[in-house]
Amino acid sequence: MTSPLLPSPADTLTALQAIVGADACRTEPDDVAGFVTDYRGLYRGSAHVVVLPADTDQVSRVMAWCHEHGVPVVPQGGNTSLMGGAVPDDTGTAVLVNLRRLNRVLAVDTTNDTLTVQAGVTLHGARMAAEQAGRLFPLRIGSEGSCQIGGNLATNAGGTAVLRYGNMRDLVLGLEAVLPDGRVFSSLRGLRKDNTGYDLKQLFVGSEGTLGIITAAVLKLMPQPRATAVAFVAVADPAAAVALLGLAKARSGQAVTAFELISGTALRLVLDYLGDVASPLAGTPGWMVLIELSGGDDSLQQTLVDVLEAGMEDGLVQDAAIAASLSDAERFWRIREEISDAQTRTGGSIKCDVSVPLSRIADFIAEATRQTLAIEPHARMVIYGHMGDGNVHFNPLRPADVPGKEFLARSYAAISHAVDGLAHAEHGSVSAEHGIGVAKRDDLLLYKSAVELDMMRAIKAALDPQGLLNPGKLLPPA
Ligand SMILES: Cc1cc2nc3c(=O)[nH]c(=O)nc-3n(C[C@H](O)[C@H](O)[C@H](O)COP(=O)(O)OP(=O)(O)OC[C@H]3O[C@@H](n4cnc5c(N)ncnc54)[C@H](O)[C@@H]3O)c2cc1C
């Protein structure tokens, strides 16, 4: 359905083809389907046309035309959002702008330790460009082959190395974005100090495509660690995991790079899904952590051994496997990183991506589990996440004999409400790293203060007074 106020579909297509070229406009249902359905197949929308601009100038002209004619625009990167943020609604009025053709590495400066990329470079591409220059770009998430730097910025992505390096917000020094009216904001400078007023680039980080289309960024590079040590460790419970993290920090200084919690149920699920991958540990312990230390010190492996021995003496560590080779380390990480896909393929997973202060994490998991099982006694407790930074993916899975749709229909609302409410009560966040999209949009009314919501709406109104950019996402209706 098209609003009578909008230009006709034919006029829109002609205008956009004149800007980006006919080959870069997709309208055939088969060509468009992959863009208007999200990664998990949970959100399906429709777009009047999918546009694939080649550079910032084309993005700017597309935006200016849409602004002038009141046409909604949905920005999209790798379409790996778990929150339905990158697909349009089902009205069919939107122009979907996918950034995949803005895929050039623009500059690597090993003196300034910066990497300048267009927004459509995949995270994997950015990491490889850094590696080829002998540097590290430390953002590490399971979707790195598909997700794009623009999407990582728009969602303020987190992942497994936040504990050491921070999330995407901490890794950006400069940014270029096209505003809803087509003007180009640029701060593509690699400055670590710039106190000249509001840090405007940060407005776009975590804005989920509602304030502008990010077209390029200057990213921080880090030294490549000379040594890495990885272990898969069985612990009695989450409280023991928290204590072990404290011990690892105390013994290794700044070396703890990742500290991932994995429940026994999550391990069983992922091993069944992978089929040919051996568990690092005998049996299936109730709880495990994947620890990675990294740094410039060749004695790191010994430091890890010391940490684990001290953990055993303190009764925190029940069993441990230290990676003896790169392939061991990759196997340990593969097990961790495939949990998300194992859930997606199994279907019927209630994804609660929460964070709480580390000091409250063990009690939070215990109480959230108790409340979940009171609602769904046979739910499988797939619990894992970046515990080192307080982030838990608390993702109860349907009982083996209950279809996913039935489980979600009867229990999604009750369980996610209970878990989010507990996280909020612990002064935590109901979305630690996945963002809001449409999935959690209306929940913001419960968890953000009136002042916060007013400020967010004021910023949106200032930059996008017509509400044309990614409508229906992130901001709950007033
Ligand atoms: C297997 C798997 C594992 C994951 N693990 C993690 C994890 O550990 N940590 C984590 O944080 N996330 C994780 N995610 C979620 C997801 O990959 C991230 O949110 C990622 O940053 C999204 O990037 P994208 O390019 O796919 O963005 P998209 O999904 O295309 O878009 C996400 C949002 O950003 C907006 N957007 C995209 N590009 C732009 C742009 N150039 N300018 C303006 N707005 C834009 C979209 O409109 C949308 O609102 C995972 C997803 C999967 C499938």
Side-chain angles (χ1 to χ4, degrees), residues 39 75-82 85-86 99 119 141-143 147-148 150-152 154-155 157-159 208-209 212-214 340-341 386 433-434 470:
Y39 176 83
Q76 186 181 79
N79 196 14
T80 66
S81 166
L82 301 173
L99 277 291
I141 67 180
S143 54
C147 65
Q148 300 175 2
N152 298 151
T155 58
E208 300 191 31
I213 298 193
I214 299 164
S340 177
D341 270 350
H386 321 302
E433 61 175 12
H434 292 163
N470 218 3

Side-chain angles (χ1 to χ4, degrees), residues 23-180:
D23 287 353
C25 288
R26 307 275 167 84
T27 53
E28 289 301 318
D30 281 354
D31 296 339
V32 166
F35 295 96
V36 297
T37 307
D38 81 314
Y39 176 83
R40 289 189 291 162
L42 292 181
Y43 298 92
R44 288 167 211 276
S46 86
H48 171 49
V49 52
V50 172
V51 175
L52 303 165
D55 55 30
T56 303
D57 180 58
Q58 288 188 0
V59 177
S60 163
R61 286 158 61 207
V62 166
M63 294 292 277
W65 190 90
C66 290
H67 178 77
E68 191 183 331
H69 295 88
V71 174
V73 174
V74 175
Q76 186 181 79
N79 196 14
T80 66
S81 166
L82 301 173
M83 311 307 282
V87 295
D89 62 22
D90 58 7
T91 58
T93 55
V95 169
L96 189 153
V97 177
N98 183 290
L99 277 291
R100 68 161 66 147
R101 288 178 69 213
L102 275 76
N103 59 2
R104 283 191 302 129
V105 173
L106 300 174
V108 187
D109 182 339
T110 51
T111 305
N112 200 37
D113 276 332
T114 49
L115 173 67
T116 306
V117 293
Q118 289 186 310
V121 169
T122 62
L123 174 55
H124 181 73
R127 284 175 59 87
M128 287 303 105
E131 194 175 310
Q132 279 158 20
R135 298 291 186 275
L136 173 73
F137 180 62
L139 191 81
R140 195 163 68 181
I141 67 180
S143 54
E144 74 166 63
S146 307
C147 65
Q148 300 175 2
I149 291 301
N152 298 151
L153 285 161
T155 58
N156 186 25
T160 52
V162 171
L163 172 62
R164 175 79 169 272
Y165 297 106
N167 47 30
M168 199 58 181
R169 190 181 293 290
D170 303 304
L171 298 174
V172 60
L173 294 173
L175 188 140
E176 179 186 83
V178 177
L179 301 182

Side-chain angles (χ1 to χ4, degrees), residues 149-233:
I149 291 301
N152 298 151
L153 285 161
T155 58
N156 186 25
T160 52
V162 171
L163 172 62
R164 175 79 169 272
Y165 297 106
N167 47 30
M168 199 58 181
R169 190 181 293 290
D170 303 304
L171 298 174
V172 60
L173 294 173
L175 188 140
E176 179 186 83
V178 177
L179 301 182
D181 61 7
R183 286 178 298 157
V184 179
F185 158 81
S186 180
S187 70
L188 282 185
R189 293 170 299 164
L191 299 178
R192 284 168 174 78
K193 285 192 160 180
D194 177 15
N195 267 354
T196 53
Y198 303 140
D199 190 350
L200 295 174
K201 69 175 178 301
Q202 289 291 351
L203 269 183
F204 299 94
V205 183
S207 67
E208 300 191 31
T210 61
L211 299 180
I213 298 193
I214 299 164
T215 45
V218 184
L219 306 174
K220 278 185 200 169
L221 295 179
M222 312 290 171
Q224 266 183 5
R226 287 218 320 269
T228 302
V230 179
F232 218 90
V233 184

Side-chain angles (χ1 to χ4, degrees), residues 36 72 77 79 102 134 143 153 224 256 335 363 372 394 421 429 444 454 476:
V36 297
N79 196 14
L102 275 76
S143 54
L153 285 161
Q224 266 183 5
V256 186
I335 289 169
D363 287 349
T372 298
F394 190 93
S429 168
L444 287 193
D454 278 356

